[in-house]
């Protein structure tokens, strides 16, 4: 692996590991978001603080940090975008600053798709938001959206992106494993309902 690719990977990781949900809630005086709900640092759990603006800001920033990392890597080291993308997702899921306990990657994966395969990003967003509005279960919407990424790459004949997107989707699904167990038992909460 070349120095440029390693730098892109590190850059992506640094951007991806910024815990916007945690930072925003602390700055807003909402305390540590890890102490409420699921304990996650993502937008869905930030919403449980009662602040829709904070949740929306978390979602947007978690998305755009990946996009920014990829675009910067593309400018500095052309051809290194995929490494920046991988670093951004892994950084979000496993940030060293939080003892490798990060978010679930749904917004960050969207941020990866925006510069790498915009059509897939549109499909992803439609599935994510559509299911969220219909079933009101964040994990169902997020998992379905993540699975759409490699499918879109395959249908659009992007053979080089397919294996990477498949790996990303599997990581997102893995991070939702506790949600999947709750879904099987009918105990997964709907968006807007408080959890114990």
């Amino acid at each position: 692996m070349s120095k440029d690719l390693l730098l892109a990977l590190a850059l992506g990781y640094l951007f991806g590991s910024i815990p916007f949900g945690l930072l925003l809630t602390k700055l807003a005086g909402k305390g540590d978001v890890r102490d409420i709900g699921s304990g996650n640092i993502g937008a869905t759990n930030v919403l449980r603080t009662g602040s829709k603006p904070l949740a929306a800001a978390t979602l947007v920033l978690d998305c755009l940090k990946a996009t920014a990392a990829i675009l910067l890597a593309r400018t500095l080291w052309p051809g290194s975008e995929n490494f920046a993308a991988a670093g951004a997702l892994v950084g979000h899921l496993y940030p060293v600053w939080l003892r490798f306990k990060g978010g679930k990657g749904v917004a960050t994966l969207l941020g990866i798709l925006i510069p790498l395969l915009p059509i897939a990003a549109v499909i992803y967003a439609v599935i994510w938001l559509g299911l969220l509005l219909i079933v009101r279960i964040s994990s169902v919407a997020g998992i379905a959206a993540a699975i759409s990424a490699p499918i879109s790459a395959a249908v659009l004949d992007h053979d080089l992106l397919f294996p990477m997107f498949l790996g990303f989707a599997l990581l997102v699904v893995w991070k939702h494993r506790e949600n999947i167990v709750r879904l099987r038992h009918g105990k997964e909460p709907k968006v807007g309902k408080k959890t114990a």
Side-chain angles (χ1 to χ4, degrees):
M1 187 183 296
S2 73
K3 178 182 177 182
D4 287 354
L5 298 182
L6 284 172
L7 287 171
L9 186 67
L11 175 73
Y13 184 88
L14 287 173
F15 274 61
S17 65
I18 301 171
F20 282 113
L22 178 62
L23 295 174
L24 291 174
T25 50
K26 283 194 172 185
L27 287 172
K30 298 287 186 178
D32 193 326
V33 71
R34 295 171 296 180
D35 293 334
I36 65 169
S38 65
N40 192 262
I41 61 170
T44 300
N45 205 44
V46 171
L47 185 61
R48 295 188 179 109
T49 66
S51 175
K52 290 181 181 179
L54 279 181
T58 300
L59 190 154
V60 171
L61 291 171
D62 279 348
C63 173
L64 293 183
K65 67 184 181 183
T67 303
I70 293 168
L71 293 178
L72 185 55
R74 179 180 288 169
T75 301
L76 296 175
W77 312 289
S80 68
E81 297 93 330
N82 291 356
F83 285 81
L89 185 62
V90 172
H92 179 76
L93 300 179
Y94 304 104
V96 64
W97 334 109
L98 302 182
R99 298 182 180 179
F100 304 103
K101 295 179 181 179
K104 296 183 178 177
V106 179
T108 305
L109 182 50
L110 174 60
I112 288 170
L113 295 177
I114 290 171
L116 295 185
L117 194 56
I119 297 176
V122 172
I123 295 168
Y124 186 105
V126 169
I127 291 173
W128 185 16
L129 296 176
L131 282 176
L132 195 57
L133 289 172
I134 294 169
V135 301
R136 305 288 295 176
I137 300 177
S138 180
S139 59
V140 171
I143 290 170
I147 292 171
S148 78
I151 294 173
S152 294
V155 171
L156 296 169
D157 291 324
H158 282 268
D159 296 336
L160 294 177
L161 290 177
F162 172 76
M164 183 174 73
F165 287 175
L166 178 60
F168 289 173
L170 290 174
L171 277 173
V172 172
V173 172
W174 170 254
K175 289 290 286 188
H176 281 85
R177 59 194 183 279
E178 293 179 2
N179 303 83
I180 293 170
V181 171
R182 288 195 293 269
L183 284 167
R184 288 177 59 189
H185 292 90
K187 295 181 178 179
E188 183 73 341
K190 292 191 175 184
V191 173
K193 289 189 176 181
K194 294 184 178 180
T195 57

